[in-house]
Amino acid sequence: MLIFFWRPLFFWGYIIKYVFYVDYFNELLFLSKKEYMSNQRFKAIESSHNRSEIIVEETGRRSEYFGMNVFNEERMLQYLTKDAYDRVKAAVVSGVKIDRKVADQVAEGMKTWAISMGATHYTHWFQPLTGTTAEKHDAFFDFSPEGRVMEKFGGGQLVQQESDASSFPNGGIRNTFEARGYTAWDPTSPAFLYGTTLCIPTVFVAYTGEALDNKAPLLRALNAMDEAATAVAKFFDKNVTKVFATLGWEQEYFLIDKSLAFSRPDISLAGRTLIGQSAAKGQQLDDHYFGVIPNRVLNFMKDLERECTKLGIPVKTRHNEVAPNQFELAPIFEETNLAVDHNLLLMDVMEKIADKHFFKVLFHEKPFRGINGSGKHNNWSLSTDTGVNLLSPGSTPMKNLQFLTFFVNTIKAVDNYEELLRSSIASAGNDHRLGANEAPPAILSIFIGEQLNEVLNELEGVTKGKLSPEEKTELKLNVVGKIPEILLDNTDRNRTSPFAFTGNKFEMRGVGSKTNCAKPMTVLNTIVAKQLMAFKKEVDQLVDKKGLKKDEAIFNVLREYIKTSKRIRFEGDGYSEIWENEAKSRGLSNNKNTPQALQILTSKESLALFKSMNVMSEIEVRVRQEVELEEYILHIQIEGRVFNELAYSYIIPAAVEYQNKLIKNVVGLKEIYGAAHKKMSESQLDIVERISEHIRAIKIKTDAMVDERKKANNMTDINKKANTYCDSVRPYFDEIRYHCDKLEQLVGDEYWPLTKYRELLFIK
């Protein structure tokens, strides 16, 4: 009987226990939903605090393993026949076409080397108009006609591949269903091994022949520069047969703990913080700049530099930058095409190494408001195959005249095409950076220093036509001859200048940290090449028709260039309102946003320039304008959607919850103290009202922003659409942010769902 009596009790006991647990877990679930976001923030902070640094030991000399994963000259000598090696070198130096037989030999050598290094796949590595790189991996695997398994990689697969091009930006020149595109081997940039994949740098073209990448126009611009600069260099040295444009980029970036970065939807989706109150301490103490590199970051840098060295990227400099958690990496100068490839490869490698060290690397030009953004200074110069830097003065007046020739022609080229050069650095991200916190303004000007300005001013007075012996002596000895001494003391720098001469190179400082260097380098080399061609023509005419000696003709032409390009030279503060007004009076452009800046691309002058220099056809230029406008629209559109999510899913709920807490406090005081509670709860009620005002403003402005976005999305004209996103959608971002940041100051810290600036920027 006892057994039968207890069975029902056990049954009901289990039922009660089950109901209790379900209710308990439902309560936990409710609490977790309610507190998930703030808990996520604090868990991310705890996770970052508990990180153990990954120790990376620096072993061996870099010279011993530099380029070990690159199919460079050393590997080619080892794995290619002499004929194949000579043909590849000829292709690199002179652009000689490689025939199929030689391509087969090169492919066999590459495959043998790559497999010996552990490679299993190969890919054509290219630069579509997304601004990043792309790749499709194929295995060194096939069947022979007899059905046997074999490793296969021939000249046809090396030289060209058919790639699915349907989803890459193409500016409307082809339909989505027209998927065919081609990648073609670029022998001037060596193949390299990354992981288990042989990567072959290539250009990317449409089935119809137009370039759909950033590399093809750059190669054409560099070829134009070679021809134009070589012709001018021969005025001074007949032995020059080739001129290389060189590039040394400086990559700035932020490192944020991965947990902290992923706790922010805006960083994850937009690459920057759309809201966030500035921390009490930012960069004002200058204590981060060139300071001791944090251990965790230093180990990341060691790991990164080791991988870069193996890949032949000549990284040399590393240091803390101005803003908290901002850093910089810079390499030794290289030929421009190779330097561009190395910068893109570096950014890929950085992301992988950062992930390994539990960091998120931010390349956005302005990820945090109120502190420095990140640029990618492009240091550009010209070098001959005889080993001379054409932008470096020499030991004789003639060598200094050579320097002046290329120096003044560069200034003249930038003056002629300043608006076009500005367009080459335009992007949604860079719009936030230009003109703020040490970044150069959108007005393009050139800083050359007081001493060089004096030299150019003296050259303005050169007599027209033939020079007297006394004037020629004076110019060569006391003006041109003293340039090396002048440059020794000309060490001051203007950090707000977009384009500055820095001793033996020009530094283009407006380039954004995320930008593909190929874009500004294509424009810069094209316009300087165009200018050098015009210069040679004018000098030749003065020599042939006016009977002037070569140096007299050069002085005469340079004198006119110095006069006509004077407006572009500026030595002062690029941020000042006075300069903005003066620049306008000088006729310089001030295109402050991307849609404005990109309009110049399809002007008659721009289209004629690119066509005459064989750099881009009209359709290729129009494609790039459309692609970049579309990219701008999409960036603003994504940020608008993230703002909507932040407002309704994060900020307003957190503010309401904290407001309820205050209201509950006021009600409790009233219950205890009655009418006397008013004095006690005055501050709480004031905060409640201020929170309500900001919540209301956020809702109104977010809804208005969404409405404007919908209007813009219905537009078919891409120029109108981009301008609407710029003028009607984007202004709401600052307004919404203002109220969100005010709420961050009012809402209790434990209620705030988003990781704050003080946590993002000061947790190492």
Side-chain angles (χ1 to χ4, degrees), residues 46-90:
E46 182 182 7
S47 176
S48 64
H49 272 304
N50 293 333
R51 294 275 189 229
S52 296
E53 62 185 84
I54 299 173
I55 305 297
V56 176
E57 299 293 341
E58 290 185 296
T59 56
R61 297 180 180 181
R62 290 193 181 184
S63 58
E64 294 174 351
Y65 60 94
F66 179 76
M68 65 178 289
N69 290 341
V70 182
F71 195 69
N72 52 24
E73 286 192 35
E74 183 182 341
R75 305 300 174 311
M76 285 194 287
L77 284 168
Q78 185 178 354
Y79 287 91
L80 301 184
T81 63
K82 186 179 185 306
D83 179 57
Y85 171 80
D86 290 341
R87 294 294 184 88
V88 173
K89 288 294 292 179

Side-chain angles (χ1 to χ4, degrees), residues 467-475:
L467 307 180
S468 67
E470 293 79 15
E471 186 177 18
K472 191 179 289 189
T473 301
E474 172 68 18
L475 282 172

Side-chain angles (χ1 to χ4, degrees), residues 71 80 100 102-115 119-124 136-143 150-161 185 191 197-202:
F71 195 69
L80 301 184
R100 180 58 183 269
V102 172
D104 283 335
Q105 293 179 32
V106 175
E108 182 61 31
M110 269 191 194
K111 182 193 74 173
T112 303
W113 168 74
I115 291 175
T120 58
H121 290 71
Y122 65 92
T123 183
H124 275 200
K136 178 188 74 172
H137 297 193
D138 286 309
F140 290 118
F141 178 84
D142 209 339
F143 289 103
M150 60 183 293
E151 275 78 28
K152 184 179 178 183
F153 180 63
Q157 293 157 308
L158 166 65
V159 172
Q160 180 176 298
Q161 272 194 323
W185 175 36
T197 304
L198 173 67
C199 300
I200 303 157
T202 58

